[in-house]
Amino acid sequence: MSKSVTVKFSKPSYEALRLRARKANRKLAEYIRESALNGEVVSGHNAETVAIAKNLIGMANNLNQLTKLSHQRGFHETHEYVMDLLRRLKEILGEYRQASYKPKPNSMGRKEDTT
């Protein structure tokens, strides 16, 4: 049993795929199918971004555990822990935003001075 799928490509991407399919001596559909099934997906994240994501996930898990604990014992006993965790989360998000900030080029094609 087969199922058809419609995929849209930009003109340059379509032309590049056609050229590659021709060089591989395959029909375009065959080339796309083989590329999709035999290809390898590679993450574009750098080590710093992955580390930040892991920190955020760990902090989110801690926050969930503290929330459950606060419901069991009362919020006042865990208030300091929760506030500290939220402060750390805010710092990490600030660092992430700074690391991923890329200035937009202006319309004149000149680079802006970011110092």
Side-chain angles (χ1 to χ4, degrees):
M1 183 174 161
S2 65
K3 183 167 179 114
S4 71
V5 177
T6 301
V7 180
K8 292 185 179 185
F9 294 103
S10 67
K11 182 88 170 155
S13 295
Y14 177 76
E15 293 301 326
L17 283 169
R18 270 187 47 202
L19 179 63
R20 289 181 183 184
R22 197 175 321 123
K23 284 182 178 180
N25 199 24
R26 297 270 193 265
K27 293 181 181 178
L28 183 58
E30 291 173 335
Y31 180 79
I32 291 172
R33 184 173 34 257
E34 289 176 13
S35 297
L37 295 174
N38 300 329
E40 191 174 314
V41 177
V42 179
S43 174
H45 301 297
N46 61 22
E48 183 180 0
T49 304
V50 170
I52 289 171
K54 285 181 181 180
N55 281 337
L56 290 174
I57 290 168
M59 290 176 70
N61 289 336
N62 290 344
L63 186 57
N64 286 339
Q65 290 172 350
L66 288 170
T67 303
K68 289 176 186 176
L69 181 64
S70 70
H71 287 291
Q72 294 170 356
R73 293 189 166 186
F75 184 71
H76 295 292
E77 289 185 33
T78 56
H79 178 71
E80 284 186 42
Y81 297 116
V82 171
M83 294 309 293
D84 181 54
L85 191 58
L86 289 173
R87 272 190 295 276
R88 289 176 40 210
L89 179 61
K90 186 176 179 181
E91 289 171 8
I92 288 175
L93 285 173
E95 291 173 9
Y96 177 75
R97 285 187 185 124
Q98 287 179 347
S100 63
Y101 171 73
K102 294 179 184 170
K104 296 178 183 176
N106 61 14
S107 61
M108 300 300 286
R110 293 177 291 188
K111 292 184 179 180
E112 294 180 15
D113 186 14
T114 57
T115 55

